[in-house]
Amino acid sequence: MEKISATLALLGIVSLFCQWLGWKLRLPAILPLLVAGLLLGPALGVLDPDELFGDLLFPIISLGVAVILFEGSLTLNFKEIKSHGRMVTSLVTIGAAITWACITLASYVLVGFSWEIAMLFGALVVVTGPTVIVPMLRSVRPTSKLASILRWEGIVIDPLGALIAVLVFEYIAFSSESGNHVLTALGLMLSIGFGLGALSGYLVGIVLRKNLLPHYLQNTAVLTIVLGVFVGSNLLQEESGLLTVTVMGIWLANMRGVDIADILEFKETLTVLLISALFILLAARLDSAAVLDLGFGGLGLLLVVMFVARPLSVWVSALGSSLKSADKWFLSWVAPRGIVAAAVSSLFAIKLESLGYAGAEHIVPLVFLVIIGTVVVQSLTAGSWAKWLGVSAGSNQGLLIFGASRFSRDLAKVLQSKQIRVVLADTNWDNIRLARMDNIPVYFGNPASEHAETYLDLTGIGRVFVISPYRQLNPLVNFHFQDVYGVNKVFGLNNSEPGSARHQMSETYVKQLSLFGEQVSYAKLSSLVARGAVIKTTNITENFTFEHFQRRYGDGALPLLYIKDKKLHVITANTGAAIPGDVELVSLISAHALQEAKVTSQPTDPQKSAQL
């Protein structure tokens, strides 16, 4: 008993460390998780999942995969697929079909799988997934358009690919029965899977829509219901549970008037630990000799996945699109496989082996070979490939602003006119709506949330401004993005009140609240804008120096930042007020100062500043 407790504790600690290591190195967490599993299992013999859990191992894997598939299917909103462009839609439909066909044929010819097992394997490795794509994009930094295509492809193909794999598996499982039992069992499975899944999703949606549960019970209740529906579906018809929970999640995601944001955040938090522990267990069960036994057939299949299936699917999907050849070649190279493929394949392999299917024992080693090959090789080479093709976004001069007030929107419009990417995030829908009307990229919600990790497009972003009135949320956003970009890349306003909250903050945090100056607060900026202050750009040159600028506008001008050689420089209380020459100065000028400048302006004055 003590050994089991110690092993479980070790599993949790190692899972957490691997997630942290992946974040720190900006690599998909699947890499350190894989290494940890192989070290603890085949290499050192510390972790033997079959000995540790015994007969409970299969139910644990089954329940874990059920939660993973449900969480993934919650992200599949059919209305959003088209909104992310024709290329994404083509990749997850035509492209997925081409990839499936190529891999199915290759595994049949090169590995010797039967057609049924080959079709299942092809469906399993169609899935990429955001857990491997997002960390890679942060490291590679391709152009915003390419990053968006890859990110949304991973988000959408995750549940679609899993659904295809489940359907293929169900067909294989029931095809082993004789005569009319095949059609009867398969029809019953599909009826229960789609029927019970849709009914369960609808009923849960009604409960959430009408607030029949207190808020603190909603997440726990949904998780419990998902597990109950999974088990109940399997009792009604064997092997139907995975299809049922997948359909249930898709129904909830597309049901009107149902807010699933909190459920998604809870499930994402849960699956971080669940996926981590599950993947270590699966890697620990992997027989390294089985991977080596795949020989040239396995290696050939990996080459087909990377050099035939992916490029073919990308180029066919891109027919008629505006993508350039360099864009297509980059997309052709980036398609790492993730944890969902490993988890689902392990579960299916165990079931197929029990049914006596020849070749089922090779599914897991082959899936892991594809995962290792695509993640490792593409992670190491995608950055150089992007630079060689000229599709790298270069240095991150973009800006994320938390708080989409009028001041932030005006600042964003000025910076966008200078070809600097700006994203506004806010929890206030009215602010987000107004920003969208100004064609500013937005994120509705907390940018420090788990949901934002996947859906907030930070391509090209290198700095964060915290300009919001949310005193409790501001420190959370500040500290979160310090971990992402570094302390010197995150700036906040001094919203503290002397004698109260200020003295409850750490000195380190207080020093960072110096954006635009020591005494500049959100209230001051909002007040100035409400009284007619305008954000303008001024060319600071030898003929019109910063001293000239100060004499013209006096204390009515608040310098915010300046652009020099296409690079953004932020003005804070710590940087001082010195502004170099040959820059574009962005400042907030009060209505009174503007009026005074017009009155005192003379024909002999230096060249007027360029204004927006």
Side-chain angles (χ1 to χ4, degrees):
M1 183 63 68
E2 291 182 358
K3 181 180 178 181
I4 295 177
S5 301
T7 305
L8 290 175
L10 175 64
L11 188 63
I13 294 172
V14 172
S15 300
L16 179 62
F17 174 76
C18 290
Q19 288 287 345
W20 174 84
L21 188 62
W23 162 79
K24 192 69 176 178
L25 299 178
R26 300 203 172 193
L27 291 173
I30 192 173
L31 287 178
L33 288 170
L34 177 61
V35 173
L38 293 176
L39 284 176
L40 293 176
L44 301 177
V46 175
L47 178 61
D48 186 348
D50 294 279
E51 179 184 346
L52 179 66
F53 295 103
D55 293 337
L56 290 177
L57 180 62
F58 178 73
I60 289 174
I61 294 176
S62 298
L63 293 175
V65 172
V67 174
I68 291 171
L69 291 182
F70 175 74
E71 187 272 330
S73 61
L74 281 177
T75 64
L76 185 57
N77 190 318
F78 292 116
K79 292 182 179 179
E80 292 184 352
I81 296 179
K82 291 185 178 180
S83 66
H84 296 293
R86 176 183 173 278
M87 186 61 187
V88 173
T89 306
S90 297
L91 279 174
V92 301
T93 52
I94 300 172
I98 292 174
T99 303
W100 185 16
C102 289
I103 297 175
T104 297
L105 180 61
S107 57
Y108 174 78
V109 174
L110 298 176
V111 184
F113 280 159
S114 64
W115 279 114
E116 293 86 353
I117 301 297
M119 289 176 62
L120 177 62
F121 177 79
L124 287 169
V125 293
V126 161
V127 178
T128 55
T131 57
V132 286
I133 285 290
V134 172
M136 188 179 294
L137 292 178
R138 288 179 182 171
S139 176
V140 175
R141 298 205 302 263
T143 59
S144 178
K145 177 174 64 175
L146 295 179
S148 178
I149 290 173
L150 288 170
R151 194 163 53 87
W152 280 105
E153 179 199 7
I155 292 170
V156 176
I157 198 67
D158 205 10
L160 278 180
L163 179 60
I164 294 172
V166 169
L167 290 174
V168 174
F169 168 75
E170 305 296 1
Y171 170 77
I172 295 174
F174 290 112
S175 66
S176 61
E177 300 187 16
S178 59
N180 294 329
H181 292 292
V182 177
L183 295 178
T184 303
L186 185 59
L188 187 60
M189 183 276 298
L190 291 174
S191 300
I192 291 176
F194 282 100
L196 182 59
L199 178 62
S200 302
Y202 174 76
L203 293 177
V204 171
I206 292 295
V207 170
L208 296 176
R209 181 192 292 168
K210 295 186 176 182
N211 295 314
L212 299 180
L213 289 172
H215 186 269
Y216 75 94
L217 273 181
Q218 287 183 0
N219 292 334
T220 306
V222 171
L223 174 63
T224 305
I225 292 171
V226 167
L227 297 179
V229 168
F230 170 73
V231 174
S233 180
N234 280 335
L235 290 176
L236 291 174
Q237 177 60 53
E238 191 177 359
E239 313 299 352
S240 65
L242 293 178
L243 178 61
T244 302
V245 295
T246 304
V247 173
M248 178 181 175
I250 294 174
W251 188 279
L252 268 176
N254 291 273
M255 191 171 175
R256 291 182 179 179
V258 179
D259 184 9
I260 60 172
D262 290 339
I263 298 174
L264 260 177
E265 186 170 348
F266 172 71
K267 292 294 185 297
E268 287 166 351
T269 303
L270 177 65
T271 50
V272 167
L273 178 60
L274 183 63
I275 287 176
S276 301
L278 190 60
F279 194 74
I280 291 178
L281 288 174
L282 297 177
R285 294 185 76 247
L286 186 64
D287 185 359
S288 55
V291 177
L292 296 176
D293 288 343
L294 295 173
F296 290 108
L299 181 60
L301 179 59
L302 176 61
L303 296 177
V304 169
V305 171
M306 297 174 66
F307 294 100
V308 178
R310 178 61 177 180
L312 186 60
S313 67
V314 168
W315 283 79
V316 173
S317 299
L319 290 175
S321 71
S322 60
L323 292 178
K324 300 177 181 178
S325 294
D327 298 332
K328 298 174 189 176
W329 283 120
F330 178 76
L331 293 175
S332 298
W333 183 239
V334 181
R337 271 54 177 184
I339 294 176
V340 172
V344 177
S345 66
S346 298
L347 178 62
F348 289 171
I350 293 174
K351 292 185 176 182
L352 291 177
E353 285 182 48
S354 65
L355 293 175
Y357 271 88
E361 68 277 7
H362 297 307
I363 292 178
V364 174
L366 201 54
V367 168
F368 271 85
L369 177 64
V370 172
I371 292 173
I372 295 170
T374 54
V375 173
V376 173
V377 174
Q378 293 173 8
S379 294
L380 295 176
T381 59
S384 300
W385 183 237
K387 291 179 182 178
W388 190 83
L389 290 171
V391 297
S392 178
S395 61
N396 292 333
Q397 295 300 310
L399 186 63
L400 169 67
I401 302 179
F402 176 52
S405 64
R406 181 180 169 187
F407 169 82
S408 298
R409 298 194 299 271
D410 290 346
L411 179 59
K413 286 187 285 187
V414 170
L415 294 178
Q416 283 184 323
S417 70
K418 302 299 177 183
Q419 308 305 313
I420 293 176
R421 186 167 189 265
V422 181
V423 177
L424 298 183
D426 206 318
T427 57
N428 184 306
W429 173 250
D430 289 333
N431 286 342
I432 291 295
R433 178 179 56 82
L434 292 172
R436 281 180 172 173
M437 292 175 64
D438 289 331
N439 293 318
I440 303 171
V442 296
Y443 174 77
F444 177 50
N446 177 7
S449 66
E450 290 288 337
H451 184 268
E453 286 285 331
T454 298
Y455 292 92
L456 176 55
D457 185 3
L458 295 176
T459 306
I461 302 298
R463 294 178 182 82
V464 178
F465 284 1
V466 181
I467 309 178
S468 86
Y470 316 125
R471 293 178 181 271
Q472 294 181 334
L473 196 53
N474 287 346
L476 174 64
V477 174
N478 190 300
F479 291 132
H480 173 79
F481 284 103
Q482 283 181 24
D483 291 335
V484 177
Y485 295 113
V487 175
N488 61 339
K489 298 293 185 181
V490 182
F491 307 88
L493 294 172
N494 190 352
N495 294 327
S496 58
E497 298 177 0
S500 58
R502 182 181 182 86
H503 297 289
Q504 300 173 14
M505 300 177 184
S506 68
E507 288 298 322
T508 303
Y509 178 59
V510 170
K511 289 179 181 179
Q512 296 162 16
L513 305 182
S514 59
L515 180 61
F516 309 142
E518 183 68 30
Q519 302 302 321
V520 180
S521 64
Y522 175 83
K524 180 178 180 178
L525 293 176
S526 298
S527 176
L528 287 171
V529 172
R531 287 181 291 169
V534 178
I535 297 178
K536 294 182 175 294
T537 60
T538 304
N539 291 325
I540 302 299
T541 64
E542 292 181 359
N543 296 325
F544 189 79
T545 65
F546 184 60
E547 288 73 19
H548 290 123
F549 174 85
Q550 289 179 309
R551 283 199 297 269
R552 169 170 289 189
Y553 297 110
D555 294 335
L558 176 63
L560 305 175
L561 45 87
Y562 62 88
I563 303 169
K564 184 177 179 63
D565 299 328
K566 297 183 179 181
K567 292 186 178 181
L568 192 68
H569 300 265
V570 183
I571 297 175
T572 69
N574 301 322
T575 59
I579 305 295
D582 297 324
V583 303
E584 288 184 277
L585 177 64
V586 181
S587 53
L588 178 66
I589 304 177
S590 68
H592 176 73
L594 286 171
Q595 185 63 32
E596 288 294 320
K598 288 181 180 180
V599 172
T600 59
S601 178
Q602 300 295 328
T604 57
D605 276 357
Q607 183 180 1
K608 292 184 178 180
S609 61
Q611 298 179 348
L612 290 175

